[in-house]
C-alpha cells in the first residue's frame, strides 16, 4: 500500500465489556466488574502502553429498560477519569457532559479540576443529550427540540470558555513574605447575560494547564456538523463505508472556513470496531461467536428506538417498513444515525434481522474482522483517501479486543510510520497536535 507520513490519532472508546452488544455474555468477559475502578485502571494502562492519544467515556443520565439484556450502567465520568489520572501518566482523558442537563459553572469547574488533577490531559465530549429517558430524570418535560438544544449548547460553551478565562496568567502571587496569595486585578467576573444563561463568575479555580480541555463533538446532523465546524477540535463520527467517510470528512472540513478556522485544526475520528484474528478465518469465527450471543429482543428494541416505530410488529426476516418509518427531519435525536441505518438497509438490501446483526458490533460504525495486517491496511486506506485523521477505537470485547489491538495492530502501524512509537508531549492537546488554547473568541 502507498505509505503516508500522516500520523494517525487513536482514541479508545471505553465501554464496560466491549462494543459488541452481546460481549457481556462471552465466556472471557467479566460483566460483574462494570463498576469496578480497578478493571478500568488496567484497561487505561493497556491503552497507554499502546501510546494511544486518549481514552473516552460516553455517558447517559438515564437507564433504558433494556438493562434486562445488556450492561448499561456506568460510573460517572469525572469521578472515574480522576481515578484513572492517578494511575496513568500520559494518556488523555475525555469525558462526556451534556449542555442540556448541566449548568455552565458546574462543567467549567469540573473540567478545570480534571485538567489540574491530570496535569493537562482533560478533554470534553460536548453532547446535547438524547431521549426522554434522560429528560424525565431532570424535569417533567420531554427532551427539548433538536435545534433548540444546539442553540443552548453554543451559549453554554461561550459561558464555559469565559469562566475558564476569568483567571489571567499571573493571577496567583503566592508570596509568603508579603502575605499576598493572589492578585484580584487578574481575576475577572464574566457578567454573562444571554438567552439561556446569566452567570456572574469568576470561576473559583485558576486557569488550567491546557487553557481549555480538548473540545470534542459527535453530532452527525447538519446542525451538529455546524457546531463541530465552529467549536470542535476532534470529532467522533459513525461512518461505515470509505466513501461515506470521505463525504463526511470533506463536508465537515469545508464548513470551517466561515468560522475563521483552518481544516487541519480539527481531527475527524470515525469509530472503528476491529475484530482481530491471527488468520482471517479466526477473526470471522470470533465475530460469529459474538453474533450467536445476540438477544433478539434487545436488538429489536435498539432499532425500534432509533427508528421511532415498534419493529416487533413486522416480520423479522422481512425488510424495514420504509413507508411507515418517520422521516429523519421528524426525529428529535440521533438524526445522523437514523439516516445512516436507513441507507445501509436499502443499499445492502438487509432484512430487519440482518440489520440487527450488521450493527450489533458497532452500532453503525465501521467494523471489520481480519488479521492485524488487514486491519492496518484498512486504517491506512481511510487515512490516505481523506476519510479519517485517526480512529475512535471500539473493541468488540474487553479486555481481549484491546489487548489484540495494542499487541498486534499498533506495532504494524508503527512499522508503517503511521503511529507514534512514544509520547512526545505531556498534554492531551499536544497528543492531538494542538498548542495551549487561546482565550475566548480565538480558536486554538
Amino acid at each position: 500500500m502507498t505509505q503516508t507520513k500522516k500520523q494517525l490519532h487513536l482514541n479508545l472508546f471505553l465501554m464496560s465489556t466491549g462494543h459488541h452488544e452481546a460481549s457481556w455474555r462471552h465466556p472471557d468477559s467479566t460483566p460483574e466488574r462494570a463498576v469496578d475502578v480497578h478493571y478500568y485502571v488496567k484497561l487505561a494502562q493497556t491503552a497507554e502502553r499502546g501510546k494511544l492519544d486518549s481514552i473516552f467515556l460516553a455517558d447517559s443520565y438515564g437507564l433504558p429498560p433494556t438493562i434486562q439484556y445488556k450492561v448499561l450502567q456506568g460510573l460517572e465520568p469525572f469521578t472515574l477519569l480522576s481515578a484513572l489520572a492517578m494511575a496513568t501518566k500520559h494518556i488523555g482523558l475525555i469525558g462526556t457532559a451534556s449542555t442540556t442537563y448541566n449548568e455552565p459553572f458546574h462543567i467549567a469547574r469540573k473540567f478545570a479540576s480534571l485538567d489540574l488533577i491530570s496535569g493537562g490531559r482533560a478533554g470534553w465530549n460536548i453532547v446535547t443529550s438524547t431521549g426522554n429517558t434522560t429528560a424525565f430524570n431532570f424535569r417533567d418535560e420531554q427532551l427539548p427540540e433538536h435545534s433548540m438544544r444546539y442553540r443552548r449548547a453554543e451559549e453554554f460553551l461561550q459561558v464555559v470558555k469565559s469562566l475558564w478565562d476569568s483567571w489571567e496568567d499571573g493571577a496567583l502571587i503566592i508570596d509568603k513574605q508579603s502575605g499576598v496569595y493572589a492578585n484580584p486585578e487578574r481575576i475577572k467576573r464574566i457578567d454573562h447575560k444571554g438567552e439561556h444563561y446569566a452567570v456572574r463568575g469568576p470561576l473559583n479555580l485558576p486557569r488550567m494547564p491546557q487553557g481549555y480541555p480538548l473540545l470534542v463533538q459527535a453530532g452527525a446532523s447538519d446542525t451538529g456538523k455546524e457546531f463541530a465546524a465552529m467549536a470542535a477540535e476532534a470529532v467522533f463520527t459513525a461512518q461505515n463505508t470509505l466513501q461515506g467517510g470521505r463525504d463526511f470528512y470533506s463536508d465537515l472540513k469545508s464548513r470551517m472556513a466561515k468560522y475563521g478556522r483552518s481544516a487541519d485544526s480539527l481531527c475527524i475520528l470515525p469509530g472503528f470496531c476491529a475484530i482481530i484474528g491471527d488468520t482471517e478465518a479466526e477473526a470471522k469465527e470470533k465475530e460469529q461467536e459474538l453474533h450467536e450471543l445476540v438477544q433478539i429482543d434487545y436488538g429489536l428494541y435498539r432499532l425500534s428506538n432509533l427508528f421511532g416505530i415498534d419493529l416487533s410488529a413486522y416480520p423479522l426476516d422481512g425488510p424495514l417498513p420504509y413507508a411507515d418509518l418517520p422521516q429523519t427531519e421528524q426525529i428529535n435525536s440521533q438524526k445522523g444515525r437514523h439516516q445512516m441505518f436507513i441507507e445501509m438497509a436499502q443499499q445492502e438490501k438487509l432484512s430487519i434481522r440482518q440489520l440487527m446483526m450488521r450493527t450489533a458490533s458497532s452500532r453503525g460504525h465501521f467494523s471489520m474482522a481480519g488479521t492485524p495486517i488487514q486491519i492496518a491496511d484498512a486504517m491506512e486506506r481511510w487515512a490516505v483517501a481523506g476519510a479519517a485523521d485517526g480512529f475512535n477505537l471500539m473493541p468488540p470485547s474487553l479486555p481481549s479486543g484491546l489487548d489484540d489491538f495494542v499487541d498486534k495492530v499498533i506495532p504494524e502501524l508503527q512499522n508503517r510510520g503511521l503511529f507514534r512509537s512514544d509520547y512526545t508531549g505531556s498534554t492531551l492537546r499536544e497528543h492531538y497536535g494542538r498548542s495551549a488554547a487561546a482565550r475566548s473568541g480565538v480558536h486554538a
Side-chain angles (χ1 to χ4, degrees):
M1 292 199 53
T2 303
Q3 289 218 351
T4 175
K5 294 181 179 179
K6 182 177 184 177
Q7 292 286 295
L8 296 177
H9 296 285
L10 299 179
N11 173 78
L12 171 63
F13 185 170
L14 274 180
M15 180 176 282
S16 59
T17 60
H19 285 267
H20 195 290
E21 63 189 49
S23 60
W24 71 274
R25 301 183 67 199
H26 192 275
D28 294 339
S29 74
T30 54
E32 65 276 9
R33 300 189 69 191
V35 291
D36 180 351
V37 67
H38 302 288
Y39 171 72
Y40 294 100
V41 164
K42 185 175 180 180
L43 292 172
Q45 290 173 337
T46 299
E48 188 167 74
R49 177 167 59 82
K51 314 303 180 185
L52 270 59
D53 296 61
S54 50
I55 57 178
F56 155 61
L57 294 176
D59 195 28
S60 172
Y61 300 151
L63 185 67
T66 46
I67 188 68
Q68 178 180 356
Y69 303 115
K70 189 175 185 290
V71 180
L72 292 169
Q73 78 276 24
L75 293 169
E76 191 279 318
F78 288 102
T79 309
L80 178 53
L81 291 174
S82 295
L84 298 184
M86 296 293 95
T88 56
K89 295 181 179 179
H90 303 285
I91 198 161
L93 306 163
I94 301 174
T96 298
S98 170
T99 58
T100 303
Y101 296 111
N102 282 294
E103 291 294 326
F105 191 92
H106 284 143
I107 294 305
R109 189 181 187 214
K110 288 177 180 179
F111 275 110
S113 296
L114 179 60
D115 207 57
L116 288 161
I117 288 169
S118 64
R121 293 187 282 141
W124 176 18
N125 178 42
I126 306 167
V127 301
T128 66
S129 292
T130 61
N132 289 325
T133 299
T134 290
F136 292 137
N137 280 340
F138 291 88
R139 57 186 71 98
D140 190 21
E141 299 174 4
Q142 293 190 354
L143 187 72
E145 189 271 330
H146 186 266
S147 61
M148 172 60 76
R149 297 201 307 276
Y150 273 98
R151 287 198 300 273
R152 289 182 58 173
E154 288 185 28
E155 185 181 346
F156 191 108
L157 181 58
Q158 177 187 349
V159 176
V160 168
K161 283 185 172 182
S162 296
L163 287 167
W164 287 331
D165 289 341
S166 60
W167 287 58
E168 297 178 2
D169 295 334
L172 288 178
I173 306 298
I174 316 180
D175 187 336
K176 292 183 178 181
Q177 186 172 0
S178 68
V180 176
Y181 178 74
N183 180 357
E185 295 298 316
R186 291 183 175 271
I187 305 172
K188 308 291 187 181
R189 286 167 48 165
I190 69 170
D191 290 320
H192 175 91
K193 291 185 179 180
E195 180 183 359
H196 304 286
Y197 302 102
V199 181
R200 188 181 73 175
L203 192 64
N204 57 350
L205 281 174
R207 189 164 171 81
M208 67 186 79
Q210 297 188 106
Y212 306 155
L214 188 79
L215 301 177
V216 184
Q217 200 265 349
S221 67
D222 198 64
T223 307
K225 285 187 282 190
E226 282 297 318
F227 183 82
M230 176 190 70
E233 296 164 296
V235 164
F236 298 150
T237 180
Q239 307 297 325
N240 57 78
T241 66
L242 177 60
Q243 187 58 51
R246 292 181 67 184
D247 291 344
F248 179 90
Y249 189 98
S250 61
D251 178 17
L252 180 51
K253 297 260 184 174
S254 70
R255 297 171 186 247
M256 298 176 66
K258 74 178 86 169
Y259 300 105
R261 303 184 65 198
S262 63
D264 62 2
S265 65
L266 170 65
C267 294
I268 296 178
L269 310 178
F272 183 24
C273 178
I275 302 173
I276 304 162
D278 291 332
T279 65
E280 185 175 354
E282 181 187 352
K284 297 289 187 184
E285 185 178 338
K286 287 183 177 182
E287 181 179 46
Q288 184 58 32
E289 185 179 7
L290 285 166
H291 282 353
E292 289 174 356
L293 298 173
V294 166
Q295 285 272 19
I296 296 298
D297 287 345
Y298 172 76
L300 275 174
Y301 179 91
R302 173 171 59 83
L303 293 180
S304 296
N305 190 55
L306 177 68
F307 289 124
I309 185 173
D310 183 4
L311 292 177
S312 66
Y314 298 87
L316 193 60
D317 292 309
L320 282 175
Y322 297 105
D324 297 336
L325 297 180
Q327 297 297 307
T328 299
E329 57 267 24
Q330 297 173 302
I331 298 294
N332 194 28
S333 64
Q334 294 190 295
K335 288 178 180 284
R337 195 68 55 89
H338 180 271
Q339 186 62 35
M340 178 204 297
F341 274 40
I342 290 176
E343 292 174 358
M344 184 191 303
Q346 289 176 328
Q347 292 169 3
E348 300 181 26
K349 296 180 172 56
L350 301 176
S351 68
I352 294 174
R353 186 195 303 272
Q354 289 170 329
L355 180 63
M356 184 188 309
M357 294 300 175
R358 175 78 166 74
T359 57
S361 295
S362 57
R363 303 178 302 286
H365 294 79
F366 176 39
S367 177
M368 69 173 288
T371 65
I373 290 177
Q374 289 173 325
I375 298 297
D377 283 347
M379 297 174 75
E380 184 172 4
R381 190 178 302 116
W382 279 57
V384 171
D389 295 309
F391 294 89
N392 187 21
L393 303 176
M394 303 168 60
S397 58
L398 290 171
S400 59
L402 176 59
D403 290 335
D404 286 343
F405 193 91
V406 166
D407 294 333
K408 299 176 181 181
V409 179
I410 289 291
E412 181 64 30
L413 294 175
Q414 291 169 333
N415 288 340
R416 299 180 188 208
L418 290 168
F419 192 63
R420 67 170 67 86
S421 58
D422 204 352
Y423 293 104
T424 57
S426 60
T427 69
L428 177 55
R429 287 185 161 277
E430 289 175 310
H431 298 344
Y432 279 88
R434 305 282 176 261
S435 59
R439 294 183 179 272
S440 291
V442 180
H443 295 291

